[in-house]
Amino acid sequence: MVVRTRFAPSPTGYMHIGNLRTALYAYCIAKHSQGTFILRIEDTDRKRNVPRAIQVIYDSLRLAGLEYDEGPQKDGGYGPYVQSQRKDLGIYQRQADWLVEHGGAYRCFCSKSVDGKSSPSAVAGPRGVPARRNVCRYLTPAEVQAHLDSGDPCVIRQRIPDEGVTTFHDLVYGDIAVKNSLLDEQVLLKSDGFPTYNFANVVDDHLMAITHVARGVEYLSSTPKYNLLYEAFGWEAPVYIHLPHIVKEGGKKLSKRASDASFQDLLAQGFLPEAIVNYIALLGWSPGNDLEYFDLASLVALFDPIHINKSKAAFSLPKLEWLNGEHIRQIPPEKFHLYAGQYYPPALKAACDTQVVSRMIQPRLTRLTSIPEMTHFLLAVEPYDLVLYEHAKSKSTLESSRLVLKAVLAPLRQAQPWSEDVIRQALLDLAAELNMKTGVVMWPVRVALSGLLVTPGGAIEIAAALGLAETLRRIETAIACLS
């Protein structure tokens, strides 16, 4: 069997990280088995559709590296892959009519149900209609025809057996059984001819030969009704993989308002796409060992849905930030410089050697958006307390710092060409000449150049980034302060 999975988002405006995780898992399930990953746009809920949201879906999948094999722009013989286009071809109407004809559905003329939103439970009446069943279910063919002849609007509603139990197996939640008497008779086709999600996804999954369905756990309770549709059609149901909810640490829901709910939010906060993908893979799944760093290829190779956890997954921003730092350090320096260049202020680009700056900050960076703050000291040294020159670890004191800074000016002026290697040698030679440990020389130079206790680089990298003239100017300023 060729494994075929699908990602079927609705174009509602942004890519929730829960949706992106669904896409990732569906992609990994397919690719792990050399199968096919399909993108289907479910846009039949016209009131929720947002202009340009489909482009957000395309862009998000592209940035995440989840290239689909079939979809709106890649017809694999099962198209169209946009539900509104499938509706226009009459696909859902034909299937709904077939169900009505064969007893799996019925026409409902109740005024409260023609929009497809409500599903009123009928009260017991002369016909003894049970709870969760609609009176229209019991209309005779003649009564149905009379409504149709009168032009009464109607929906098509699923016919659920009154008795029996529907069972199914989920790879995450195991065997599940639900009494049919507890199931609502859901609307399948609205009065305007548009299918509901619950109907269209079953029809499309079958017609597109989907073998494995990965979706959120919120659809677990509807799955018995889906299975009854498969049974009514005489179709084979797919393998189900329901995914646990993603929540904040502490159990609260992720919030778009708090900018922690969408892929776009996280990108805007300076996280790399590959780091986000790596992290959301771990929200509810593990490889069965202690590994946490993955690129997409290694994730596909390791992915097995049996390791998906049924418990809610807690989203931790610090954990994502740690993983982002790991991914930043794996980026080739040339590529990282291109990333970083998007965050360097124009003044920094004019004043410093940004190639050196990029090399300096890459090992220490955890978010791209931290770059302006991390490099601000290269533009200006803020007033600082001279106590910074007193450093126990390097055994630096105010007196030794004054001596070093006065002595370092001459060798730095002679350091040509101005580069990290030449600067390093000049400082090492000075330490030997002064009979001082290297740290006693490096520390005051770093403080003079940065005015900070902690910097992303040492004295050598900072001097190389600043250039000879600015390095000498800052050291002379520091000497004046120490004097």
Side-chain angles (χ1 to χ4, degrees), residues 3-7 19-39 61 64-69 74 212 214 241 243 277 295-301 303:
V3 172
R4 290 174 61 84
T5 66
R6 49 74 163 173
F7 175 50
N19 290 341
L20 184 61
R21 184 191 62 175
T22 298
L24 174 62
Y25 285 9
Y27 175 89
C28 290
I29 291 167
K31 295 304 174 182
H32 183 81
S33 301
Q34 292 77 51
T36 303
F37 174 60
I38 297 156
L39 172 64
L61 293 180
L66 307 181
E67 182 177 356
Y68 58 89
D69 303 296
K74 293 182 180 181
H212 293 67
I241 306 153
L243 312 177
V277 168
D295 59 19
L296 186 57
S298 59
L299 182 60
V300 167
F303 196 84

